[in-house]
Amino acid sequence: DAIRTLHINTCEVFGYPNSTRDEIESLLDECESLLNGIKLIQELSPKSLDQLVSYGERCSVRIMAARLNQIGVPAQAFDAWDVGILTNSNFGDAKLLPSHESAIQNAFSRIDPDVVAVVTGFIGQDPNGKITTLGRGGSDLTATAIGAACGLDEIQVWKDVDGILSSDPRMVPNAVPVRLVSYDEASELAYFGAQVLHPIAMQPARKANVPVRVKNSYNPSAIGTVISQMDKPDRLVTAITCKRGVKLMDIQSTQMLGAYGFLATVFGDFEKHRLSVDVLASSEVSVSLTLDKKQDMKQINAVCEELSPYADVTLKDNKAILTLITDVERSSDVLATVFRVFSSQGIRVEMMSQGASKVNISFVLDDKCLEDAVLNLHKCFFENQCIVEPIQDPEDNASPPLIEA
Protein backbone atom coordinates (compact mmCIF):
# COMPACT_ATOMS: atom_id res chain seq x y z
CA ASP A 1 0.00 0.00 0.00
CA ALA A 2 2.83 2.42 0.81
CA ILE A 3 4.39 1.89 -2.65
CA ARG A 4 1.06 2.40 -4.40
CA THR A 5 0.32 5.52 -2.33
CA LEU A 6 3.72 7.02 -3.14
CA HIS A 7 3.31 6.59 -6.89
CA ILE A 8 -0.33 7.68 -7.09
CA ASN A 9 0.31 10.72 -4.88
CA THR A 10 3.15 11.72 -7.19
CA CYS A 11 0.80 11.58 -10.17
CA GLU A 12 -1.78 13.69 -8.32
CA VAL A 13 0.68 16.29 -7.03
CA PHE A 14 2.07 16.91 -10.51
CA GLY A 15 -1.30 16.62 -12.23
CA TYR A 16 -0.23 13.91 -14.67
CA PRO A 17 -2.73 12.83 -17.36
CA ASN A 18 -5.02 9.88 -16.69
CA SER A 19 -3.14 7.77 -19.24
CA THR A 20 0.06 7.95 -17.16
CA ARG A 21 -1.81 7.16 -13.96
CA ASP A 22 -3.59 4.23 -15.60
CA GLU A 23 -0.27 2.75 -16.83
CA ILE A 24 1.25 2.99 -13.36
CA GLU A 25 -1.86 1.55 -11.71
CA SER A 26 -1.72 -1.40 -14.11
CA LEU A 27 1.95 -2.07 -13.31
CA LEU A 28 1.27 -1.86 -9.57
CA ASP A 29 -1.64 -4.29 -9.93
CA GLU A 30 0.71 -6.74 -11.69
CA CYS A 31 3.26 -6.30 -8.93
CA GLU A 32 0.66 -6.96 -6.23
CA SER A 33 -0.58 -10.10 -7.99
CA LEU A 34 2.97 -11.40 -8.25
CA LEU A 35 3.61 -10.74 -4.55
CA ASN A 36 0.41 -12.58 -3.63
CA GLY A 37 1.53 -15.55 -5.70
CA ILE A 38 4.94 -15.59 -4.03
CA LYS A 39 3.23 -15.44 -0.63
CA LEU A 40 0.98 -18.38 -1.47
CA ILE A 41 3.67 -20.75 -2.72
CA GLN A 42 6.33 -19.52 -0.26
CA GLU A 43 8.98 -19.50 -2.97
CA LEU A 44 10.81 -16.78 -4.88
CA SER A 45 12.62 -18.06 -7.96
CA PRO A 46 15.30 -15.98 -9.76
CA LYS A 47 12.85 -15.52 -12.64
CA SER A 48 10.12 -14.19 -10.36
CA LEU A 49 12.60 -11.96 -8.54
CA ASP A 50 13.72 -10.36 -11.80
CA GLN A 51 10.14 -9.56 -12.72
CA LEU A 52 9.42 -8.27 -9.23
CA VAL A 53 12.32 -5.81 -9.13
CA SER A 54 11.46 -4.49 -12.61
CA TYR A 55 8.34 -2.63 -11.51
CA GLY A 56 10.17 0.24 -9.83
CA GLU A 57 12.09 1.10 -13.00
CA ARG A 58 9.04 0.73 -15.20
CA CYS A 59 6.95 3.06 -13.04
CA SER A 60 9.80 5.57 -12.69
CA VAL A 61 10.38 6.06 -16.42
CA ARG A 62 6.69 6.79 -16.96
CA ILE A 63 6.67 9.35 -14.16
CA MET A 64 9.85 10.98 -15.51
CA ALA A 65 8.61 11.11 -19.10
CA ALA A 66 5.33 12.69 -17.95
CA ARG A 67 7.21 15.36 -16.01
CA LEU A 68 9.48 16.17 -18.96
CA ASN A 69 6.45 16.60 -21.20
CA GLN A 70 4.90 18.92 -18.60
CA ILE A 71 7.92 21.25 -18.64
CA GLY A 72 8.01 21.40 -22.44
CA VAL A 73 10.53 18.64 -23.24
CA PRO A 74 8.95 16.06 -25.58
CA ALA A 75 9.58 12.64 -24.02
CA GLN A 76 8.38 9.06 -24.21
CA ALA A 77 8.87 6.18 -21.73
CA PHE A 78 10.19 2.84 -22.98
CA ASP A 79 10.74 -0.52 -21.35
CA ALA A 80 14.30 -1.59 -22.23
CA TRP A 81 13.22 -4.54 -24.40
CA ASP A 82 11.19 -2.17 -26.58
CA VAL A 83 14.45 -0.46 -27.59
CA GLY A 84 16.47 -3.65 -28.15
CA ILE A 85 17.89 -4.67 -24.74
CA LEU A 86 17.67 -8.42 -25.36
CA THR A 87 19.39 -10.94 -23.10
CA ASN A 88 19.90 -14.61 -22.39
CA SER A 89 17.86 -16.39 -19.69
CA ASN A 90 20.42 -16.22 -16.88
CA PHE A 91 18.05 -14.57 -14.40
CA GLY A 92 19.77 -12.27 -11.92
CA ASP A 93 22.87 -11.82 -14.05
CA ALA A 94 21.74 -11.88 -17.66
CA LYS A 95 24.08 -11.12 -20.56
CA LEU A 96 23.21 -9.13 -23.66
CA LEU A 97 22.58 -11.19 -26.79
CA PRO A 98 24.81 -10.58 -29.83
CA SER A 99 21.71 -9.34 -31.65
CA HIS A 100 21.16 -6.48 -29.19
CA GLU A 101 23.16 -3.99 -31.22
CA SER A 102 21.09 -4.30 -34.40
CA ALA A 103 17.89 -4.46 -32.33
CA ILE A 104 18.75 -1.15 -30.64
CA GLN A 105 19.59 0.47 -33.96
CA ASN A 106 16.30 -0.69 -35.49
CA ALA A 107 14.31 0.51 -32.48
CA PHE A 108 15.82 3.99 -32.41
CA SER A 109 15.48 4.39 -36.16
CA ARG A 110 11.71 4.44 -35.49
CA ILE A 111 11.84 6.91 -32.58
CA ASP A 112 11.45 10.63 -33.34
CA PRO A 113 14.93 12.16 -32.81
CA ASP A 114 13.27 15.23 -31.27
CA VAL A 115 11.74 13.10 -28.51
CA VAL A 116 13.71 12.18 -25.38
CA ALA A 117 13.58 8.42 -24.88
CA VAL A 118 13.35 7.64 -21.15
CA VAL A 119 14.45 3.99 -20.94
CA THR A 120 14.42 1.59 -18.02
CA GLY A 121 17.92 0.66 -16.89
CA PHE A 122 19.13 -2.63 -15.47
CA ILE A 123 16.42 -4.85 -16.99
CA GLY A 124 15.95 -6.67 -20.29
CA GLN A 125 14.00 -9.52 -21.85
CA ASP A 126 15.00 -13.02 -22.88
CA PRO A 127 13.97 -14.80 -26.13
CA ASN A 128 10.91 -16.19 -24.34
CA GLY A 129 9.67 -12.74 -23.40
CA LYS A 130 10.60 -13.11 -19.72
CA ILE A 131 12.02 -10.13 -17.82
CA THR A 132 15.67 -10.41 -16.79
CA THR A 133 18.09 -8.24 -14.81
CA LEU A 134 21.61 -7.43 -15.96
CA GLY A 135 23.36 -7.86 -12.62
CA ARG A 136 25.91 -5.49 -11.13
CA GLY A 137 26.37 -2.35 -13.21
CA GLY A 138 23.22 -3.16 -15.18
CA SER A 139 21.88 0.39 -15.43
CA ASP A 140 25.23 1.69 -16.68
CA LEU A 141 25.41 -1.22 -19.12
CA THR A 142 22.00 -0.27 -20.52
CA ALA A 143 23.26 3.26 -21.16
CA THR A 144 26.54 2.21 -22.78
CA ALA A 145 24.86 -0.47 -24.92
CA ILE A 146 22.41 2.08 -26.32
CA GLY A 147 25.03 4.79 -26.76
CA ALA A 148 27.47 2.46 -28.49
CA ALA A 149 24.85 0.96 -30.81
CA CYS A 150 23.62 4.41 -31.80
CA GLY A 151 27.16 5.68 -32.41
CA LEU A 152 26.82 8.68 -30.09
CA ASP A 153 29.61 11.20 -29.57
CA GLU A 154 29.61 10.63 -25.81
CA ILE A 155 27.83 8.58 -23.15
CA GLN A 156 27.23 10.25 -19.78
CA VAL A 157 26.84 8.29 -16.54
CA TRP A 158 25.71 10.31 -13.54
CA LYS A 159 26.95 9.28 -10.08
CA ASP A 160 27.36 10.91 -6.66
CA VAL A 161 31.05 11.87 -7.03
CA ASP A 162 32.91 14.30 -9.29
CA GLY A 163 34.03 11.56 -11.65
CA ILE A 164 36.93 9.23 -10.88
CA LEU A 165 39.11 10.49 -8.02
CA SER A 166 42.79 9.96 -7.34
CA SER A 167 41.85 7.89 -4.27
CA ASP A 168 38.95 7.12 -1.95
CA PRO A 169 37.95 10.50 -0.40
CA ARG A 170 36.83 8.71 2.77
CA MET A 171 40.46 7.73 3.33
CA VAL A 172 42.21 10.59 1.53
CA PRO A 173 40.57 13.99 2.18
CA ASN A 174 42.73 15.63 -0.50
CA ALA A 175 41.72 13.25 -3.29
CA VAL A 176 41.33 15.09 -6.60
CA PRO A 177 39.35 14.36 -9.77
CA VAL A 178 41.15 12.72 -12.67
CA ARG A 179 39.95 14.26 -15.92
CA LEU A 180 40.93 11.52 -18.37
CA VAL A 181 41.51 7.77 -17.96
CA SER A 182 41.77 4.86 -20.37
CA TYR A 183 39.33 1.95 -20.46
CA ASP A 184 42.04 -0.31 -19.01
CA GLU A 185 42.70 2.08 -16.14
CA ALA A 186 39.00 2.46 -15.35
CA SER A 187 38.52 -1.33 -15.37
CA GLU A 188 41.39 -1.88 -12.96
CA LEU A 189 40.11 0.88 -10.68
CA ALA A 190 36.69 -0.74 -10.54
CA TYR A 191 38.09 -4.21 -9.93
CA PHE A 192 40.25 -3.07 -7.06
CA GLY A 193 37.57 -1.16 -5.22
CA ALA A 194 36.64 2.14 -6.91
CA GLN A 195 32.82 2.30 -6.98
CA VAL A 196 32.37 4.28 -10.18
CA LEU A 197 31.71 2.20 -13.30
CA HIS A 198 31.65 -1.59 -13.50
CA PRO A 199 34.05 -3.07 -16.11
CA ILE A 200 31.19 -4.93 -17.82
CA ALA A 201 29.39 -1.62 -18.38
CA MET A 202 32.38 -0.27 -20.29
CA GLN A 203 32.55 -3.10 -22.81
CA PRO A 204 30.05 -1.79 -25.40
CA ALA A 205 31.56 1.71 -25.31
CA ARG A 206 35.08 0.34 -25.60
CA LYS A 207 34.15 -1.87 -28.54
CA ALA A 208 32.55 1.07 -30.38
CA ASN A 209 35.23 3.56 -29.19
CA VAL A 210 32.63 5.89 -27.68
CA PRO A 211 33.90 7.98 -24.71
CA VAL A 212 32.09 7.65 -21.37
CA ARG A 213 31.90 10.73 -19.14
CA VAL A 214 31.26 10.20 -15.42
CA LYS A 215 29.41 13.19 -13.91
CA ASN A 216 28.10 14.13 -10.47
CA SER A 217 24.32 14.48 -10.05
CA TYR A 218 24.89 16.69 -6.98
CA ASN A 219 27.47 18.91 -8.71
CA PRO A 220 26.50 19.20 -12.40
CA SER A 221 29.02 21.96 -13.10
CA ALA A 222 31.97 19.64 -12.38
CA ILE A 223 33.76 18.52 -15.55
CA GLY A 224 33.82 14.88 -14.48
CA THR A 225 36.04 12.13 -15.87
CA VAL A 226 36.18 10.97 -19.48
CA ILE A 227 36.94 7.28 -20.04
CA SER A 228 38.25 6.68 -23.56
CA GLN A 229 40.94 5.17 -25.72
CA MET A 230 44.09 7.17 -25.06
CA ASP A 231 47.82 7.09 -25.54
CA LYS A 232 50.25 6.94 -22.65
CA PRO A 233 49.13 9.32 -19.90
CA ASP A 234 51.15 12.44 -19.06
CA ARG A 235 51.45 11.44 -15.41
CA LEU A 236 53.33 8.90 -13.35
CA VAL A 237 50.34 7.58 -11.35
CA THR A 238 46.67 7.92 -12.30
CA ALA A 239 45.09 6.80 -9.03
CA ILE A 240 45.55 4.79 -5.85
CA THR A 241 42.93 2.25 -4.84
CA CYS A 242 42.68 -0.61 -2.37
CA LYS A 243 40.81 -3.66 -1.08
CA ARG A 244 40.61 -4.45 2.61
CA GLY A 245 40.03 -7.65 4.55
CA VAL A 246 41.67 -10.02 2.06
CA LYS A 247 43.41 -13.30 2.84
CA LEU A 248 46.94 -14.09 1.65
CA MET A 249 47.63 -17.72 0.78
CA ASP A 250 51.20 -18.98 0.31
CA ILE A 251 51.50 -22.37 -1.41
CA GLN A 252 54.93 -24.06 -1.42
CA SER A 253 55.40 -27.32 -3.29
CA THR A 254 56.77 -30.21 -1.21
CA GLN A 255 57.50 -32.28 -4.31
CA MET A 256 59.76 -31.75 -7.29
CA LEU A 257 56.92 -30.92 -9.62
CA GLY A 258 57.77 -28.75 -12.59
CA ALA A 259 55.89 -25.48 -13.10
CA TYR A 260 53.42 -27.07 -15.48
CA GLY A 261 52.37 -29.89 -13.17
CA PHE A 262 52.39 -27.86 -9.97
CA LEU A 263 50.52 -24.81 -11.24
CA ALA A 264 48.03 -26.90 -13.19
CA THR A 265 47.19 -28.89 -10.07
CA VAL A 266 46.87 -25.79 -7.88
CA PHE A 267 44.55 -23.97 -10.23
CA GLY A 268 42.57 -27.11 -10.92
CA ASP A 269 41.76 -27.28 -7.19
CA PHE A 270 40.74 -23.60 -7.16
CA GLU A 271 38.46 -24.12 -10.16
CA LYS A 272 36.88 -27.17 -8.55
CA HIS A 273 35.91 -25.13 -5.48
CA ARG A 274 34.94 -22.01 -7.45
CA LEU A 275 37.44 -19.73 -5.76
CA SER A 276 38.57 -16.65 -7.68
CA VAL A 277 41.92 -14.96 -7.09
CA ASP A 278 42.55 -11.20 -6.90
CA VAL A 279 46.33 -10.91 -7.06
CA LEU A 280 48.90 -13.61 -7.80
CA ALA A 281 52.68 -14.08 -7.88
CA SER A 282 54.32 -17.41 -8.72
CA SER A 283 57.60 -19.23 -9.24
CA GLU A 284 58.32 -22.77 -10.41
CA VAL A 285 57.46 -24.35 -7.04
CA SER A 286 55.49 -21.71 -5.13
CA VAL A 287 52.43 -19.53 -5.50
CA SER A 288 51.23 -16.58 -3.43
CA LEU A 289 47.72 -15.28 -4.00
CA THR A 290 44.97 -13.27 -2.37
CA LEU A 291 41.34 -14.18 -1.77
CA ASP A 292 38.51 -11.70 -1.34
CA LYS A 293 36.70 -11.57 2.01
CA LYS A 294 33.49 -12.62 0.23
CA GLN A 295 34.93 -16.05 -0.61
CA ASP A 296 33.35 -19.00 1.22
CA MET A 297 35.62 -20.07 4.10
CA LYS A 298 34.43 -23.67 3.74
CA GLN A 299 35.67 -23.74 0.16
CA ILE A 300 38.98 -22.15 1.18
CA ASN A 301 39.49 -24.82 3.84
CA ALA A 302 38.59 -27.52 1.32
CA VAL A 303 41.23 -26.23 -1.11
CA CYS A 304 43.84 -26.17 1.66
CA GLU A 305 42.97 -29.79 2.45
CA GLU A 306 43.31 -30.86 -1.17
CA LEU A 307 46.63 -29.05 -1.58
CA SER A 308 48.14 -30.56 1.58
CA PRO A 309 49.44 -33.85 0.05
CA TYR A 310 51.85 -32.00 -2.23
CA ALA A 311 52.20 -28.49 -0.81
CA ASP A 312 52.62 -26.56 2.42
CA VAL A 313 49.84 -23.98 2.66
CA THR A 314 49.90 -20.87 4.86
CA LEU A 315 46.81 -18.69 5.16
CA LYS A 316 47.12 -15.17 6.59
CA ASP A 317 44.18 -12.96 7.53
CA ASN A 318 43.80 -9.17 7.89
CA LYS A 319 45.68 -8.23 4.74
CA ALA A 320 44.97 -5.47 2.24
CA ILE A 321 45.73 -4.88 -1.43
CA LEU A 322 47.06 -1.44 -2.36
CA THR A 323 47.00 -0.86 -6.11
CA LEU A 324 48.63 1.91 -8.11
CA ILE A 325 47.07 2.59 -11.50
CA THR A 326 50.12 3.56 -13.50
CA ASP A 327 52.04 3.04 -16.73
CA VAL A 328 54.13 -0.01 -15.86
CA GLU A 329 56.66 0.93 -18.53
CA ARG A 330 57.67 3.62 -16.04
CA SER A 331 57.46 1.26 -13.07
CA SER A 332 61.09 1.82 -12.04
CA ASP A 333 60.37 5.46 -11.24
CA VAL A 334 57.15 4.55 -9.42
CA LEU A 335 58.67 1.73 -7.38
CA ALA A 336 61.69 3.82 -6.40
CA THR A 337 59.37 6.26 -4.62
CA VAL A 338 56.98 3.61 -3.28
CA PHE A 339 59.60 1.50 -1.54
CA ARG A 340 61.38 4.49 -0.05
CA VAL A 341 58.05 5.65 1.41
CA PHE A 342 57.33 2.16 2.75
CA SER A 343 60.83 1.89 4.22
CA SER A 344 60.54 5.27 5.96
CA GLN A 345 57.23 4.21 7.56
CA GLY A 346 58.22 0.67 8.46
CA ILE A 347 55.62 -0.81 6.10
CA ARG A 348 56.36 -4.39 5.04
CA VAL A 349 55.31 -5.60 1.60
CA GLU A 350 54.28 -9.26 1.75
CA MET A 351 53.64 -9.66 -1.96
CA MET A 352 53.84 -7.60 -5.14
CA SER A 353 52.22 -8.22 -8.51
CA GLN A 354 52.12 -6.43 -11.85
CA GLY A 355 48.85 -6.81 -13.74
CA ALA A 356 48.72 -8.27 -17.24
CA SER A 357 46.82 -5.16 -18.35
CA LYS A 358 50.08 -3.19 -17.92
CA VAL A 359 48.34 -0.42 -15.99
CA ASN A 360 48.53 -1.62 -12.38
CA ILE A 361 51.05 -2.58 -9.71
CA SER A 362 49.63 -4.17 -6.56
CA PHE A 363 51.12 -4.62 -3.10
CA VAL A 364 49.81 -6.84 -0.29
CA LEU A 365 50.26 -5.27 3.15
CA ASP A 366 49.00 -5.69 6.70
CA ASP A 367 45.55 -4.10 6.84
CA LYS A 368 46.60 -1.91 9.76
CA CYS A 369 49.28 -0.27 7.56
CA LEU A 370 46.98 0.48 4.62
CA GLU A 371 45.76 3.98 5.47
CA ASP A 372 49.27 5.19 6.32
CA ALA A 373 50.56 3.78 3.04
CA VAL A 374 47.79 5.29 0.90
CA LEU A 375 47.97 8.73 2.53
CA ASN A 376 51.73 9.00 2.16
CA LEU A 377 51.80 7.75 -1.43
CA HIS A 378 49.02 10.18 -2.32
CA LYS A 379 51.08 13.04 -0.90
CA CYS A 380 54.00 11.99 -3.11
CA PHE A 381 52.16 11.45 -6.38
CA PHE A 382 49.38 14.06 -6.16
CA GLU A 383 50.07 16.68 -3.48
CA ASN A 384 53.78 17.59 -3.92
CA GLN A 385 54.30 16.86 -0.22
CA CYS A 386 56.35 13.67 -0.41
CA ILE A 387 57.90 12.52 2.86
CA VAL A 388 60.93 11.27 0.88
CA GLU A 389 62.90 13.01 -1.85
CA PRO A 390 60.99 12.06 -5.02
CA ILE A 391 62.71 10.55 -8.03
CA GLN A 392 62.66 13.11 -10.83
CA ASP A 393 60.40 11.96 -13.63
CA PRO A 394 62.11 12.80 -16.95
CA GLU A 395 58.72 13.39 -18.58
CA ASP A 396 57.49 15.85 -15.95
CA ASN A 397 58.35 18.81 -18.18
CA ALA A 398 56.63 17.41 -21.25
CA SER A 399 53.15 18.59 -20.31
CA PRO A 400 51.10 19.20 -17.14
CA PRO A 401 49.37 16.23 -15.47
CA LEU A 402 45.72 15.64 -16.24
CA ILE A 403 44.67 16.22 -12.64
CA GLU A 404 42.15 18.86 -11.67
CA ALA A 405 42.98 20.40 -8.32
Side-chain angles (χ1 to χ4, degrees):
D1 288 343
I3 294 174
R4 185 183 295 274
T5 299
L6 175 65
H7 286 81
I8 298 306
N9 282 352
T10 301
C11 292
E12 291 176 351
V13 167
F14 286 99
Y16 289 159
N18 289 335
S19 58
T20 300
R21 176 169 175 158
D22 290 345
E23 280 190 78
I24 292 171
E25 286 268 26
S26 177
L27 288 169
L28 293 173
D29 287 342
E30 279 185 32
C31 181
E32 185 175 5
S33 297
L34 179 59
L35 286 169
N36 286 331
I38 293 167
K39 181 180 178 181
L40 283 172
I41 65 173
Q42 294 291 296
E43 183 180 337
L44 179 59
S45 68
K47 182 169 70 173
S48 296
L49 179 59
D50 278 6
Q51 180 172 342
L52 181 62
V53 299
S54 75
Y55 289 108
E57 282 283 306
R58 296 161 72 190
C59 288
S60 294
V61 295
R62 286 158 174 82
I63 288 172
M64 176 59 72
R67 182 58 182 158
L68 288 173
N69 281 308
Q70 271 191 341
I71 63 174
V73 179
Q76 184 177 349
F78 292 94
D79 290 323
W81 47 86
D82 291 329
V83 294
I85 303 298
L86 308 176
T87 75
N88 62 17
S89 301
N90 186 21
F91 299 101
D93 190 23
K95 299 295 183 286
L96 293 171
L97 295 177
S99 60
H100 81 272
E101 190 171 341
S102 59
I104 290 170
Q105 292 168 349
N106 290 336
F108 275 90
S109 69
R110 299 190 297 270
I111 297 173
D112 187 340
D114 294 326
V115 171
V116 174
V118 185
V119 182
T120 55
F122 152 75
I123 59 176
Q125 197 173 74
D126 75 358
N128 299 315
K130 301 300 181 183
I131 295 173
T132 59
T133 57
L134 298 171
R136 187 179 170 195
S139 292
D140 295 339
L141 177 58
T142 304
T144 57
I146 292 173
C150 294
L152 304 184
D153 294 331
E154 180 178 280
I155 299 163
Q156 291 188 357
V157 178
W158 291 75
K159 300 290 183 178
D160 58 359
V161 292
D162 292 337
I164 293 174
L165 303 182
S166 56
S167 196
D168 187 339
R170 294 169 297 183
M171 186 181 297
V172 183
N174 295 329
V176 293
V178 184
R179 280 194 245 161
L180 183 65
V181 301
S182 68
Y183 291 113
D184 281 337
E185 290 174 324
S187 294
E188 294 291 344
L189 278 165
Y191 184 78
F192 284 103
Q195 304 295 316
V196 179
L197 198 64
H198 194 276
I200 291 176
M202 284 182 268
Q203 290 176 358
R206 182 174 192 163
K207 180 182 176 183
N209 196 21
V210 177
V212 179
R213 186 182 296 272
V214 182
K215 297 273 287 179
N216 189 348
S217 301
Y218 300 101
N219 185 18
S221 62
I223 296 174
T225 298
V226 175
I227 304 169
S228 67
Q229 300 284 9
M230 58 181 289
D231 296 326
K232 294 180 182 180
D234 295 319
R235 60 200 170 217
L236 202 55
V237 173
T238 298
I240 304 171
T241 187
C242 59
K243 265 191 177 184
R244 309 196 78 151
V246 302
K247 300 180 187 298
L248 173 63
M249 183 182 288
D250 293 323
I251 306 167
Q252 179 74 39
S253 174
T254 56
Q255 302 177 18
M256 295 305 293
L257 288 174
Y260 176 82
F262 175 62
L263 295 177
T265 305
V266 168
F267 293 121
D269 289 339
F270 273 80
E271 181 182 16
K272 176 181 175 181
H273 293 281
R274 297 181 177 273
L275 291 175
S276 58
V277 173
D278 283 330
V279 176
L280 178 144
S282 68
S283 68
E284 186 176 3
V285 292
S286 66
V287 179
S288 292
L289 51 85
T290 62
L291 298 166
D292 190 274
K293 59 185 176 183
K294 296 177 183 177
Q295 303 280 8
D296 188 341
M297 197 62 213
K298 290 182 180 179
Q299 297 299 327
I300 294 174
N301 289 333
V303 164
C304 292
E305 186 69 26
E306 293 204 15
L307 293 172
S308 61
Y310 57 87
D312 290 329
V313 181
T314 305
L315 191 63
K316 302 174 184 177
D317 293 321
N318 301 316
K319 302 300 175 184
I321 302 170
L322 187 158
T323 299
L324 299 180
I325 306 302
T326 182
D327 179 1
V328 297
E329 290 185 9
R330 298 159 70 184
S331 60
S332 295
D333 295 331
V334 175
L335 293 175
T337 299
V338 169
F339 281 111
R340 286 160 69 236
V341 168
F342 287 171
S343 178
S344 71
Q345 300 299 299
I347 297 172
R348 179 170 173 261
V349 176
E350 301 207 27
M351 186 179 116
M352 189 183 91
S353 178
Q354 178 177 304
S357 66
K358 306 303 181 188
V359 298
N360 87 68
I361 303 174
S362 294
F363 308 88
V364 178
L365 320 166
D366 279 336
D367 194 89
K368 64 184 180 182
C369 298
L370 180 65
E371 289 192 27
D372 188 28
V374 171
L375 285 167
N376 281 297
L377 290 179
H378 194 275
K379 287 178 181 178
C380 286
F381 293 118
F382 297 97
E383 301 177 46
N384 295 319
Q385 298 178 22
C386 199
I387 60 173
V388 299
E389 189 66 27
I391 299 295
Q392 181 62 39
D393 179 11
E395 299 189 26
D396 272 351
N397 297 324
S399 58
L402 292 171
I403 299 293
E404 180 181 59

